[in-house]
Structures are given as C-alpha cells and as structure tokens.
Amino acid sequence: GLYLTVLEHLQRMEIAKLYEYCRILTTIKEDFVVVGSMAKHLHNISEKIPNDIDIVVQDFTGLEGVISYITPSPFSGSGKRGYILSESMVKIDIFVEYSLPKYQIINGIRVAHPVAMLEYYENLLPKVAEHWKKGILNNINLLRLWQTKISI
C-alpha cells in the first residue's frame, strides 16, 4: 500500500543506518567485507531485512567498541570472533579470518560475491549441528536460484 507501517518505517531507517556504517567501513578499512544476510540483501538475493551485519575482517584495526572472543566454531575458520553492540543489541557480528572472501562493490559497500557465499555454505553444511542445517540449506538454495537466474 501507499503508507508504510511504523515497523516498516523503523526497519527502513535502521537499514539506512546499517548501509551508512558499511559504506564508512568500506572507505576506512581495506580488509572489510560484508557477508551473511546483509550481503544477500545488498545483492537482492533475499527480501529479508537484516537486523545486524555480519562482516569478515583480517583484524580489529579501525573498529571501535569491539568485544572480542575466541570460539571453536564451524562458522569461523580462525575461531577469532567479535561483536559491536548498539543500544545493547549486537549490531555487527565480526569474523576475523586470514583471507577475505571474493567480493564486489555495491552502493559503495564491499560485499561478498554470491559464489563465495555459496561455497562457504556448501563447505559449512557437513560441519554443523543438526539445528543449523535447515537455515544453511535455505541459504544454499537461495544462492543456487540466484545462479540460475544470472546464467539465463
């Protein structure tokens, strides 16, 4: 319809803030790539409005307010992780890795390439606990669908 609901309006304001943050980070931090739901959103692969940003970096330099930790996790090759809070909610989820995924620049933001995301999820699938599999399979199917659309 013509009128946005209050929730839709707030979501759009929030996504605009997330976009701006990603643009700034792209200019100040060479080793910064957006991954996850925000990357799928920027590629128009997913309609879902992200409520946080997942990023891959090689170190925490240039990131303010990082709470860092180490975790053995199939989601993270190095196990080095971090997050940045905004209004006491996790807004930026950080993966510190030795190498960055292949990326493209979209709207001034360094974004993981869908093929790199597909490879990540395909490699991840056999390594995760059962309760993660459905979400990862959804991502794989979304990205495969995207591949068929661009190859037509």
Side-chain angles (χ1 to χ4, degrees):
L2 190 58
Y3 299 99
L4 292 176
T5 66
V6 172
L7 182 62
E8 285 172 328
H9 189 68
L10 287 171
Q11 282 179 325
R12 288 192 182 177
M13 282 171 45
E14 192 60 36
I15 197 107
K17 279 195 273 185
L18 293 176
Y19 279 173
E20 193 50 37
Y21 184 82
C22 290
R23 269 191 212 99
I24 291 165
L25 270 182
T26 296
T27 58
I28 64 170
K29 190 159 175 58
E30 288 285 315
D31 63 328
F32 160 83
V33 178
V34 174
V35 295
S37 59
M38 177 61 100
K40 290 189 289 287
H41 181 76
L42 285 162
H43 280 290
N44 293 318
I45 291 169
S46 173
E47 301 275 314
K48 188 176 162 249
I49 305 258
N51 51 10
D52 69 351
I53 311 170
D54 297 309
I55 66 172
V56 175
V57 297
Q58 290 176 309
D59 59 47
F60 294 126
T61 309
L63 301 175
E64 289 178 29
V66 174
I67 297 153
S68 64
Y69 62 100
I70 292 187
T71 177
S73 163
F75 291 90
S76 168
S78 73
K80 290 184 195 164
R81 298 282 307 275
Y83 57 90
I84 298 172
L85 299 174
S86 172
E87 288 139 32
S88 75
M89 289 170 59
V90 172
K91 279 295 162 195
I92 296 144
D93 207 357
I94 306 163
F95 296 80
V96 179
E97 299 300 341
Y98 306 111
S99 61
L100 300 174
K102 285 191 185 114
Y103 62 84
Q104 293 173 280
I105 305 279
I106 299 174
N107 300 333
I109 301 170
R110 209 174 289 118
V111 185
H113 191 284
V115 172
M117 288 192 280
L118 181 57
E119 286 170 7
Y120 171 79
Y121 289 122
E122 286 174 339
N123 290 328
L124 185 60
L125 187 62
K127 300 173 187 166
V128 296
E130 202 55 43
H131 65 276
W132 289 108
K133 290 195 188 291
K134 186 180 175 201
I136 291 168
L137 277 169
N138 285 346
N139 282 320
I140 289 171
N141 291 332
L142 263 178
L143 290 158
R144 284 185 180 156
L145 185 64
W146 171 86
Q147 267 189 323
T148 59
K149 282 181 185 170
I150 60 152
S151 60
I152 291 170

